[in-house]
């Protein structure tokens, strides 16, 4: 019989009791339960003793010496009960390893699962995978649900290579993964722009009996391929779907139609739209039509875009805010503000509230048409609706003010932007103001704008530096121009041929051939492509510094 009292007494002071309590509380884990009946009360008592000694010991080696007198009481069930008392997964791992190495405990599958689960929940996936390999090597049964848990946990933690490896080992353990696990991996790969890896993995396992794709699996791959512009490869997967018992759904067709529209293959998009309408495989919805409308708008074919819009409303599909925004932006880009405003008014009449994208598109359209004052009226209307301008709204208005040489109003907007902590500043917002000031000879003011820009942690880009370099050169400040060039290079911003040729041209005019050689040497070291000889300073950098709105 076992003694009724512990072999030796451990006194826990009141000072340490509150520190031990959380350590002695079982850690929750979806795979922490043991098979069979509940643990023996004696095992629980021994487990509590062992875990307490382990926690109070300064090192595993000392813990092993202290536990040695009762090693004959240790068993796999006692070790598992002791493991469950470790709130810290690394502490559990240390005890797990110690009980194996020092006391020769052959841990149960439940103990392995508990440790692996605890490590995964705390983000220690590398350690968890090592324990899993040990579990597999010792011949423990690997259940489907547990293998799936480990794979999904790795996927969610961004451990893609281990996740792919685990999925590939399904046949080794006779496990069959649910489509959910496969789709989670594919989604993460596509979301991280690893589309080719996702495609390769799916192709490798398409015929596997342990990993069955569903319609969602194909949709994810097709979306990634369409994003890359590889429409033919997307349609190749589309053609294979049915042979795997997967039927295309509305998401499938919307993905392909959107991909075709983005690739400017509007004829194929219209053909696919008509096909799904005629065969009834899935009914087009507002997303389907909006993709086609957007494709025509991007090509400037507004008559065709509005024709699709009319077809959509004709069959009873209500346009969304995105649909209206796409049309308004398209009309604004081609300078047809009457039609843009007409769509806006129709939008309001249908009870569809505009958002910041709606107003930004209208403002951009008026700015492109020279109606800056009309644009600012919309700006005020937007503010009255308690809609805050975003970075692109500011960029559109500021760029337009600068083109009209209304620099003070542009600077006023920059000052307003300075108070907007919710708007991330971008160099393309500041560059038109800096360019306008430099062209007017107000280089010192341009420098102030750059300082304001840097105060908001907005790094100057190559256009910012080029503008400033040319501005200083035009004022005869060659030393400052050279210093700006060196700052540009040292900051990791690589000058292009316009930057170098402009600076070199000014230095040659100023009779500074030695400085030209230094600039050219720096340029060659940085692998800057000078595809044409040095020439006169460009009269305008407008083409290179286009700040058109990106919706």
């Amino acid at each position: 019989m076992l003694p009724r009292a512990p072999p030796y007494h451990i006194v826990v002071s009141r000072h340490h009791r509150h520190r031990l309590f959380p350590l002695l509380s079982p850690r929750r884990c979806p795979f922490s339960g043991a098979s069979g009946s509940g643990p023996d009360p004696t095992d629980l008592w021994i487990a509590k003793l062992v875990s307490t000694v382990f926690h109070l010991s300064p090192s595993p080696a000392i813990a092993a010496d202290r536990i040695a007198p009762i090693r004959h009481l240790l068993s796999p069930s006692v070790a598992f009960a002791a493991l469950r008392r470790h709130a810290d997964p690394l502490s559990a791992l240390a005890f797990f390893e110690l009980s194996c190495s020092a006391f020769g405990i052959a841990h149960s599958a439940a103990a392995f699962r508990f440790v692996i689960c605890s490590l995964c929940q705390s983000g220690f996936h590398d350690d968890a995978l090592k324990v899993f390999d040990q579990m597999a090597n010792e011949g423990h049964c690997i259940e489907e649900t547990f293998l799936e848990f480990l794979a999904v946990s790795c996927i969610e933690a961004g451990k893609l290579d281990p996740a792919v490896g685990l999925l590939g080992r399904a046949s080794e353990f006779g496990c069959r993964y649910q489509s959910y696990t496969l789709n989670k991996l594919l989604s993460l790969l596509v979301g991280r722009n690893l589309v080719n890896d996702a495609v390769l993995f799916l192709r490798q396992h398409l015929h596997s009996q342990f990993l069955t794709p569903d319609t969602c699996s194909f949709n994810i791959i097709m979306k990634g391929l369409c994003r890359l512009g590889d429409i033919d490869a997307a349609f190749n997967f589309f053609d294979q779907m049915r042979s795997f018992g997967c039927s295309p759904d509305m998401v499938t067709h919307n993905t392909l139609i959107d991909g075709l529209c983005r690739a400017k293959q509007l004829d194929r998009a219209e053909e696919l739209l008509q096909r799904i309408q005629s065969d009834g495989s899935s009914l087009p919805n507002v997303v389907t039509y909006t993709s086609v409308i957007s494709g025509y708008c991007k090509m400037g074919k507004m008559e065709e875009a509005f024709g699709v819009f009319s077809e959509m409303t004709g069959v009873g599909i209500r346009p969304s805010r995105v649909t209206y925004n796409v049309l308004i932006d398209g009309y604004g880009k081609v300078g047809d503000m009457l039609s843009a405003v007409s769509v806006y008014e129709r939008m309001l009449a249908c009870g569809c509230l505009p958002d910041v994208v709606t107003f930004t598109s209208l403002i951009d359209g008026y700015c492109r048409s020279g109606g800056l004052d009309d644009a600012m009226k919309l700006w005020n209307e937007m503010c009255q609706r308690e809609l805050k301008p975003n970075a692109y709204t500011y960029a559109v208005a500021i760029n337009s003010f600068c083109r009209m040489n209304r620099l003070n109003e542009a600077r006023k907007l920059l000052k307003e932007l300075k108070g907007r902590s919710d708007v991330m500043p971008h160099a393309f917002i500041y560059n038109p103001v800096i360019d306008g000031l430099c062209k007017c000879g107000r280089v010192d003011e341009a420098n102030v704008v750059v300082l304001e820009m840097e105060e908001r942690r907005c790094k100057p880009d190559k256009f910012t530096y080029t503008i400033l370099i040319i501005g200083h050169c035009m004022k005869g400040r060659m030393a400052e121009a050279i210093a700006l060039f060196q700052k540009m290079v040292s900051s990791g911003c690589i000058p292009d041929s316009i930057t170098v040729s402009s600076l070199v041209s000014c230095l040659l005019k100023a009779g500074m051939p030695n400085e030209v050689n230094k600039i050219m040497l720096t340029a060659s070291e940085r692998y800057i492509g000078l595809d044409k000889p040095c020439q006169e300073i460009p009269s305008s950098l407008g083409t290179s510094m286009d700040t058109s709105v990106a919706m």
Side-chain angles (χ1 to χ4, degrees):
M1 292 182 61
L2 294 173
R4 298 182 61 183
Y8 53 92
H9 186 61
I10 298 176
V11 178
V12 182
S13 70
R14 184 175 300 173
H15 173 69
H16 290 93
R17 192 173 297 153
H18 74 280
R19 296 172 59 189
L20 278 177
F21 182 75
L23 295 174
L24 301 180
S25 301
R27 180 177 178 80
R28 291 193 174 187
C29 172
F31 297 97
S32 61
S35 59
S37 59
D40 184 273
T42 305
D43 286 351
L44 292 178
W45 176 80
I46 299 171
K48 182 177 180 179
L49 172 64
V50 169
S51 61
T52 302
V53 171
F54 182 83
H55 284 303
L56 293 177
S57 300
S59 70
I62 295 175
D65 291 339
R66 291 177 176 178
I67 296 172
I70 58 170
R71 63 185 301 171
H72 63 285
L73 300 178
L74 293 180
S75 66
S77 61
V78 170
F80 180 47
L83 277 173
R84 287 165 58 84
R85 306 189 69 83
H86 291 256
D88 177 14
L90 293 181
S91 175
L93 176 62
F95 178 79
F96 180 87
E97 293 174 340
L98 177 69
S99 56
C100 288
S101 59
F103 306 121
I105 297 295
H107 285 290
S108 64
F112 275 100
R113 289 194 295 267
F114 175 83
V115 173
I116 293 168
C117 176
S118 299
L119 290 167
C120 285
Q121 288 178 332
S122 297
F124 300 110
H125 289 83
D126 291 338
D127 292 315
L129 290 166
K130 291 178 182 177
V131 177
F132 175 78
D133 287 337
Q134 181 182 344
M135 179 182 183
N137 291 335
E138 291 187 11
H140 287 288
C141 177
I142 307 296
E143 298 173 350
E144 290 181 4
T145 53
F146 181 67
L147 187 59
E148 196 163 67
F149 158 79
L150 183 55
V152 170
S153 182
C154 287
I155 292 168
E156 291 176 343
K159 301 282 186 179
L160 300 184
D161 289 341
V164 169
L166 286 168
L167 290 172
R169 295 177 69 183
S171 59
E172 176 185 339
F173 307 116
C175 297
R176 184 184 182 89
Y177 283 102
Q178 299 295 320
S179 300
Y180 166 81
T181 308
L182 169 63
N183 295 341
K184 201 166 184 66
L185 175 64
L186 296 178
S187 293
L188 189 59
L189 288 170
V190 171
R192 298 195 175 190
N193 295 320
L194 300 172
V195 178
N196 291 330
D197 292 334
V199 170
L200 178 61
F201 183 81
L202 184 59
R203 280 180 175 159
Q204 287 176 339
H205 296 86
L206 267 179
H207 299 281
S208 171
Q209 59 177 320
F210 301 99
L211 203 64
T212 306
D214 60 6
T215 297
C216 184
S217 311
F218 285 96
N219 288 345
I220 294 167
I221 292 296
M222 286 186 281
K223 182 178 180 179
L225 290 168
C226 286
R227 188 186 299 171
L228 293 180
D230 195 348
I231 307 299
D232 292 336
F235 269 94
N236 183 39
F237 276 99
F238 175 69
D239 295 335
Q240 295 183 62
M241 288 182 68
R242 294 190 187 278
S243 62
F244 291 92
C246 303
S247 299
D249 58 11
M250 188 170 60
V251 176
T252 313
H253 293 127
N254 286 348
T255 298
L256 292 173
I257 288 174
D258 184 63
L260 289 168
C261 292
R262 290 177 182 273
K264 298 182 179 180
Q265 299 184 33
L266 272 300
D267 292 340
R268 289 182 67 185
E270 285 265 35
E271 180 185 340
L272 181 56
L273 177 59
Q274 292 172 6
R275 189 197 312 168
I276 62 176
Q277 285 175 316
S278 61
D279 64 19
S281 55
S282 65
L283 294 176
N285 60 10
V286 64
V287 176
T288 320
Y289 282 102
T290 301
S291 294
V292 180
I293 293 168
S294 177
Y296 279 123
C297 287
K298 288 175 181 177
M299 296 177 69
K301 296 182 176 182
M302 297 311 300
E303 185 176 346
E304 290 86 344
F306 194 77
V308 177
F309 177 82
S310 299
E311 179 186 334
M312 177 182 70
T313 55
V315 296
I317 297 177
R318 185 175 180 177
S320 67
R321 180 186 294 159
V322 176
T323 315
Y324 285 115
N325 287 347
V326 164
L327 270 177
I328 291 169
D329 186 60
Y331 279 121
K333 290 286 197 298
V334 298
D336 187 355
M337 289 311 297
L338 287 176
S339 297
V341 172
S342 175
V343 173
Y344 172 64
E345 292 173 347
R346 180 170 179 169
M347 177 182 187
L348 296 178
C350 292
C352 184
L353 296 178
D355 60 6
V356 65
V357 178
T358 315
F359 282 102
T360 301
S361 296
L362 287 167
I363 291 169
D364 181 49
Y366 274 120
C367 288
R368 288 171 182 268
S369 303
L372 184 53
D373 292 334
D374 291 325
M376 295 316 293
K377 289 178 183 177
L378 280 167
W379 183 289
N380 294 331
E381 181 183 338
M382 175 176 60
C383 296
Q384 288 171 4
R385 289 179 176 269
E386 297 184 351
L387 293 172
K388 294 182 178 181
N390 61 23
Y392 295 105
T393 322
Y394 280 105
V396 166
I398 288 171
N399 192 42
S400 188
F401 274 128
C402 292
R403 284 204 307 265
M404 303 283 289
N405 204 28
R406 295 163 63 172
L407 297 176
N408 291 335
E409 290 166 280
R411 291 206 66 184
K412 184 179 178 181
L413 285 180
L414 279 184
K415 188 174 293 185
E416 179 184 316
L417 178 63
K418 189 177 180 180
R420 291 281 305 279
S421 59
D422 59 319
V423 178
M424 182 69 66
H426 298 275
F428 63 74
I429 301 176
Y430 292 88
N431 286 343
V433 180
I434 298 168
D435 185 45
L437 291 171
C438 285
K439 286 178 178 176
C440 293
R442 297 156 64 179
V443 179
D444 291 333
E445 290 182 57
N447 288 333
V448 171
V449 174
V450 174
L451 288 175
E452 293 174 357
M453 174 180 172
E454 292 177 326
E455 283 174 2
R456 292 210 62 191
R457 297 183 179 180
C458 179
K459 292 183 178 181
D461 60 13
K462 66 177 181 179
F463 302 123
T464 316
Y465 281 112
T466 302
I467 292 165
L468 285 172
I469 288 169
I470 294 175
H472 281 83
C473 285
M474 298 303 290
K475 293 284 285 186
R477 301 177 179 177
M478 308 311 296
E480 289 88 341
I482 294 170
L484 279 167
F485 181 83
Q486 297 298 341
K487 179 182 177 181
M488 178 182 189
V489 173
S490 62
S491 68
C493 183
I494 306 300
D496 60 14
S497 59
I498 294 178
T499 313
V500 177
S501 61
S502 299
L503 178 56
V504 166
S505 178
C506 292
L507 290 172
L508 288 174
K509 287 182 179 179
M512 304 173 68
N514 292 334
E515 296 299 333
V516 168
N517 291 334
K518 293 178 183 178
I519 295 297
M520 295 302 294
L521 179 61
T522 302
S524 62
E525 289 174 349
R526 294 288 172 168
Y527 304 102
I528 301 167
L530 299 176
D531 52 354
K532 45 189 173 182
C534 299
Q535 41 187 274
E536 294 296 318
I537 302 171
S539 58
S540 171
L541 293 175
T543 303
S544 299
M545 292 180 286
D546 182 21
T547 55
S548 58
V549 179
M551 292 295 182

